[in-house]
Amino acid sequence: MTGGSGGTGGTGGTLYVVATPIGNLSDITLRALEVLGAVPLIAAEDTRLTRRLLARHGLSTRLSSFHARSDPGRLAALLAHLRGGADLALTTDAGTPAVSDPGADLVGAWAAEGGVVVPIPGPSAVLAAISATGVAGPRWAFEGFLPRSGRERRERLAAIAADARGTVLFEAPGRVGSTIRDLAAVCGPDRRGAICRELTKVHEQIVRATLGELAGASERGDIPSRGEFVIVVGAGQVAAPVSDAATVEAALAEVERLVGEGSARGDAARRVAAETGIARRRLYRPSGV
């Protein structure tokens, strides 16, 4: 394959960002196979998975691992490969590189040097979940993986609750239950959602329900905590900013009611803020104030 204009003032190689199957190996595109068979080197997040894909289609291109724990020297070596005029393909474990994986570092570095980057589109867990669940609506946001805990997680959850768009999340098997419970708490148990497990694989499972119902299904074990997960939060309705004193007082009363039922004051204020559009700081009053 021919290279493009590199970033060193001479001729550099082309970096091909190649989408690969998210489960079913038959989902590879003809163009992706053409590129993977023609480049002299593939930078793979998991060489075992990419080697299995290549073997399935009779390809034997040389592989180099490139993942989140790679030594910084690996990025430098791949850039040197491109600067020398040789093409390079980038693959991830599954789906499109540079989406919730370290491929973005390589793409960004080569693009910053003026190198040619060519996307080879294909399978996407995000788009598969959006198309198959039917709950996200025409406008949606991709959040990737949420922080596991702490203030940043709470803030991200609150932002999802306050967003009228649908939201797509990735989640690890062991944390799906807690994340769904948190989403139901901040977005309201009646907001629509879906859990997609093992998309395109033999045990594919797509469950559509309210967030409250999904939380219950997860707790009962109706959704096994094994495999790859995508969570879709349905489009919601966000209240307009409120300044009416009586409405604010009613919201404060709702916070007190939730606290009386056992909710932490901060969580109660966050939930009511998401439901009413009133700034959380107006609803958070420490006990006794």
Side-chain angles (χ1 to χ4, degrees):
M1 305 191 77
T2 58
S5 175
T8 60
T11 299
T14 296
L15 173 60
Y16 293 93
V17 184
V18 184
T20 53
I22 60 176
N24 191 319
L25 295 184
S26 296
D27 288 339
I28 190 74
T29 69
L30 294 175
R31 188 181 178 204
L33 290 176
E34 177 185 337
V35 170
L36 294 176
V39 296
L41 180 66
I42 299 172
E45 183 179 10
D46 189 325
T47 56
R48 295 167 302 176
L49 294 177
T50 300
R51 186 173 289 110
R52 186 185 311 160
L53 175 67
L54 296 179
R56 166 72 177 270
H57 297 284
L59 303 175
S60 57
T61 306
R62 186 165 63 93
L63 299 174
S64 175
S65 65
F66 181 62
H67 48 75
R69 295 174 298 281
S70 291
D71 185 274
R74 184 58 53 87
L75 174 59
L78 294 174
L79 290 172
H81 171 93
L82 287 163
R83 293 188 194 110
D87 294 338
L88 176 69
L90 173 67
T91 64
T92 183
D93 285 357
T96 303
V99 179
S100 291
D101 75 43
D105 295 340
L106 177 59
V107 172
W110 188 231
E113 294 190 20
V116 176
V117 180
V118 176
I120 309 297
S124 164
V126 174
L127 296 181
I130 289 289
S131 64
T133 56
V135 301
R139 298 174 61 246
W140 46 269
F142 174 60
E143 282 287 331
F145 287 93
L146 291 176
R148 295 190 179 190
S149 60
R151 178 178 178 179
E152 187 180 356
R153 178 181 175 88
R154 294 192 297 271
E155 290 177 347
R156 292 269 294 276
L157 286 166
I160 292 170
D163 195 339
R165 299 174 299 176
T167 302
V168 184
L169 306 167
F170 289 161
E171 192 50 282
R175 297 197 297 272
V176 170
S178 61
T179 293
I180 283 292
R181 288 194 297 273
D182 288 347
L183 287 167
V186 299
C187 298
D190 296 328
R191 190 158 172 175
R192 297 289 296 174
I195 295 177
C196 305
R197 187 177 73 88
E198 294 289 84
L199 285 170
T200 79
K201 300 178 185 178
V202 174
H203 300 292
E204 177 179 276
Q205 181 181 24
I206 300 174
V207 182
R208 307 167 190 82
T210 66
L211 294 177
E213 291 167 341
L214 290 172
S218 180
E219 291 176 1
R220 292 191 303 272
D222 296 342
I223 304 173
S225 57
R226 299 186 301 275
E228 303 288 334
F229 285 84
V230 182
I231 298 172
V232 182
V233 179
Q237 294 183 344
V238 179
V242 179
S243 59
D244 179 74
T247 305
V248 173
E249 287 303 317
L252 287 167
E254 176 64 9
V255 170
E256 293 304 323
R257 184 186 70 79
L258 293 171
V259 171
E261 292 180 350
S263 295
R265 187 169 296 276
D267 292 339
R270 189 175 299 107
R271 175 173 173 180
V272 175
E275 293 173 350
T276 63
I278 301 172
R280 177 180 174 275
R281 64 179 178 276
R282 300 184 65 185
L283 300 178
Y284 182 82
R285 293 181 177 175
S287 180
V289 175

